[in-house]
Amino acid sequence: MKYLLGVDLGTSGTKTVLFDIHGNSIASASVEYPLYQPKNGWAEQEPEDWWQAAVTTIRTVIEKSGVDAGDIAGLSLSGQMHGLVLTDDNGNALGRSIIWCDNRTIEECDEFTRLVGGREHLIQIAANPALTGFTAGKVLWVRRHQPEIWEKARHIQLPKDYVRLKLTGVYHMEMSDASGTNLLDVPNRCWSQEICEKIGLDMRMLPPLVESCDVAGYITQEAAKLTGLKAGMPVAAGAGDNMAAAIGTGVVREGKAFTTIGTSGVIFAHSDSVQIDPAGRVHTFCSAVPGGYVVMGVGLAAGLSLKWCRDTFFQAEIQVAKDMGTDSYVLMNQEADKSPIGANRLIYLPYLMGERSPILDPESRGAFIGLSAMHTRQDIVRSVMEGVMYSQWHNLNVLRGMHVAPEAMLACGGGAKSPFWRQMMADMYGMPVSILQNTEGPALGAAILAGVGAGIYKDVPSACDQILKESDPLLPDEKRHAAYEPYFDLYQKLYPALKESFHTLANL
């Protein structure tokens, strides 16, 4: 029997899963690491933490499984997108990575857009506007504010690419993650010479590009000693976390889509051809399927909103859940279910970290609208869950306008474990919502890419057909959909009404 490893480098931690070639999970291990926020709106992590987490989880999984390392046919990685990792001539990381949810680069994004020739022209090339989460603005920020680091920098990488470099000793970047840098010519799947010239970036700092299922290197002797893997084992390039999740959920053909409720919230649809929103409200990236594209909307604080709510209002449930041996979120779902649709006229805006899709405003902030003395914790938690889903519904309507939305939805991420939240999704979207029997998502997607790279599978779509099985869907309820609609209509009016106040507050 042959096996495949998927390494999922997330924001809160790294999870490594060993699968057999039928997609069954054999063993898994996770390691958490800190997020540093030295200033309001900043977010950083240590690349060495990612590397040590990968080493530890790979070794642990091999030891737990009892599988001979020689039977592991390949490895690939899923990774948090957009984080800037600068390395020197020897591949050493030059300080902390500025990661995806960092908002410090507002001025640099404005400068970047101006240098390239304006927002419309930038979207024509890179398929997306300049956003604070993306990599290019971070490049300009480091160049301006940390010249001592920039002077030593020789290579620009993304989080998972740094870990892959440590495993293989080879520099590469693949299309899906590269398309989130603002430096890629997305329609033509190559680095944009025009953008690099206009911002004064030496293109030699950008790694060679490959497709996600291409072999990007082989395990070195040094990495083998640290991880327990066999030297010479192929490592496929991998994918950004959402593109890997698409592989792991079978969203690899037109008409397929998923919604993730993780730390961030994502709605994601596959397209065989490039589709770009001229307003840049949602993102168009290269797919992890060679030659394919994806359209996705990203909310920065989906599960993060619920975690904030839990940590702020539900400390007692955390302890009770621990005593019961259950998950505190299960108890919170039960509380939310006691509040009616609309949470007794309480609406939550989920902009705890600013917001990306579809409002594109890093200075927006979370808000409860309609809060009164009658409201209970039950209303608060329900309004938080509804607000997160209103955000995704808003993005779905943008996709519908681009003619890339599906008739059914797959749910994944931590929020997908909640039948209550899935039913809310089905009712709001007005479409059936399913989950997969295998819930490993990005790690499974990475393992499938490893299998294609190692020659286990013919290609990505056929591997998904062979491995993935969906649950029976939760069906939408027309009456509940109708009950949500007036609250959703009001939700869409609230950000425009508050935008000026958010920006005033940010400058006080």
Side-chain angles (χ1 to χ4, degrees):
M1 174 71 77
K2 291 293 184 182
Y3 300 88
L4 299 164
L5 270 172
V7 180
D8 180 24
L9 192 166
T11 308
S12 58
T14 287
K15 181 177 184 180
T16 294
V17 186
L18 180 69
F19 299 92
D20 65 23
I21 60 173
H22 305 295
N24 299 308
S25 174
I26 305 302
S28 66
S30 300
V31 168
E32 295 184 352
Y33 32 70
L35 169 68
Y36 300 97
Q37 295 185 281
K39 294 184 180 181
N40 184 38
W42 289 27
E44 301 174 349
Q45 288 186 318
E46 291 283 359
E48 184 63 20
D49 288 346
W50 302 332
W51 170 235
Q52 292 302 325
V55 168
T56 300
T57 54
I58 292 170
R59 179 172 287 281
T60 301
V61 162
I62 294 172
E63 291 173 352
K64 285 173 62 176
S65 68
V67 167
D68 188 305
D71 291 330
I72 302 175
L75 175 152
S76 190
L77 302 102
S78 158
Q80 53 168 290
M81 297 179 68
H82 315 303
L84 174 64
V85 184
L86 293 171
T87 56
D88 62 17
D89 280 321
N90 299 314
N92 300 310
L94 297 169
R96 290 177 182 168
S97 169
I98 306 172
I99 68 167
W100 62 276
C101 54
D102 187 285
N103 283 325
R104 77 184 69 178
T105 63
I106 295 173
E107 292 182 6
E108 285 74 21
C109 287
D110 290 342
E111 178 188 4
F112 178 81
T113 302
R114 177 182 58 78
L115 289 172
V116 171
R119 179 187 173 93
E120 182 177 343
H121 186 58
L122 172 60
I123 291 174
Q124 289 174 350
I125 300 171
N128 301 283
L131 301 177
T132 55
F134 283 15
T135 317
K138 299 176 174 71
V139 169
L140 269 61
W141 189 93
V142 172
R143 192 167 67 181
R144 171 179 293 164
H145 295 281
Q146 298 177 331
E148 71 286 356
I149 290 179
W150 184 253
E151 186 178 345
K152 299 175 184 176
R154 296 295 178 270
H155 297 279
I156 292 170
Q157 296 181 271
L158 301 172
K160 77 174 193 316
D161 301 317
Y162 174 75
V163 173
R164 193 180 59 245
L165 170 67
K166 300 281 281 185
L167 289 168
T168 66
V170 181
Y171 289 96
H172 273 116
M173 196 178 293
E174 47 74 39
M175 298 296 177
S176 73
D177 232 352
S179 54
T181 63
N182 269 147
L183 300 171
L184 191 77
D185 180 337
V186 171
N188 294 303
R189 302 174 89 90
C190 62
W191 294 120
S192 171
Q193 183 174 346
E194 178 183 347
I195 289 177
C196 291
E197 287 179 351
K198 286 183 173 179
I199 67 171
L201 179 65
D202 186 345
M203 292 186 72
R204 289 175 296 182
M205 296 183 73
L206 299 172
L209 289 164
V210 294
E211 294 287 356
S212 295
C213 54
D214 290 343
V215 174
Y218 299 87
I219 297 295
T220 64
Q221 291 286 351
E222 182 179 357
K225 291 177 183 177
L226 293 170
T227 61
L229 295 168
K230 288 289 186 183
M233 188 193 75
V235 178
D241 50 7
N242 290 301
M243 289 70 164
I247 303 300
T249 53
V251 179
V252 294
R253 295 184 176 91
E254 286 195 348
K256 302 283 283 184
F258 72 79
T259 296
T260 295
I261 305 295
T263 302
S264 60
V266 175
I267 185 164
F268 182 112
H270 182 88
S271 176
D272 290 338
S273 59
V274 62
Q275 303 289 335
I276 298 175
D277 175 29
R281 294 168 296 174
V282 294
H283 308 317
T284 297
F285 295 139
C286 297
S287 170
V289 179
Y293 292 88
V294 302
V295 180
M296 60 186 289
V298 180
L300 296 181
L304 178 62
S305 288
L306 194 60
K307 182 180 185 300
W308 168 83
C309 182
R310 182 196 68 176
D311 295 348
T312 305
F313 299 108
F314 288 88
Q315 285 296 316
E317 280 73 11
I318 293 174
Q319 185 58 50
V320 169
K322 184 178 179 181
D323 295 340
M324 294 172 60
T326 189
D327 190 330
S328 56
Y329 291 115
V330 173
L331 302 184
M332 291 173 65
N333 280 198
Q334 294 171 359
E335 291 295 293
D337 198 21
K338 297 173 184 176
S339 178
I341 286 175
N344 284 313
R345 298 182 178 86
L346 182 63
I347 296 178
Y348 170 71
L349 303 184
Y351 310 146
L352 297 186
M353 300 296 291
E355 189 55 298
R356 195 179 294 180
S357 307
I359 66 170
L360 306 176
D361 187 352
E363 293 186 338
S364 63
R365 286 295 178 264
F368 286 101
I369 308 298
L371 188 65
S372 73
M374 70 164 284
H375 286 118
T376 66
R377 292 188 310 155
Q378 297 166 358
D379 300 320
I380 288 172
V381 67
R382 179 164 191 130
S383 71
V384 168
M385 298 176 80
E386 288 182 346
V388 168
M389 286 314 308
Y390 291 145
S391 174
Q392 297 304 84
W393 189 357
H394 198 175
N395 283 318
L396 176 63
N397 285 348
V398 175
L399 267 60
R400 284 173 169 149
M402 298 170 68
H403 307 293
V404 293
E407 297 301 320
M409 186 66 62
L410 280 161
C412 55
K417 297 176 183 178
S418 164
F420 177 75
W421 217 342
R422 294 203 309 273
Q423 187 63 58
M424 184 185 291
M425 186 186 301
D427 294 339
M428 287 191 187
Y429 287 179
M431 65 176 64
V433 173
S434 303
I435 56 173
L436 291 169
Q437 294 179 11
N438 190 316
T439 59
E440 295 295 351
L444 178 58
I448 289 172
L449 293 171
V452 175
I456 301 294
Y457 313 119
K458 175 186 174 183
D459 54 34
V460 172
S462 62
C464 292
D465 292 342
Q466 179 180 331
I467 290 171
L468 302 175
K469 296 179 178 63
E470 295 182 16
S471 69
D472 293 332
L474 290 176
L475 301 177
D477 182 282
E478 291 184 6
K479 290 183 178 179
R480 289 195 293 263
H481 178 80
Y484 279 120
E485 282 189 313
Y487 292 101
F488 176 58
D489 290 343
L490 179 57
Y491 169 89
Q492 294 179 92
K493 296 174 183 176
L494 290 174
Y495 166 72
L498 292 168
K499 179 179 178 179
E500 184 177 344
S501 297
F502 286 142
H503 286 246
T504 300
L505 185 63
N507 292 296
L508 289 180

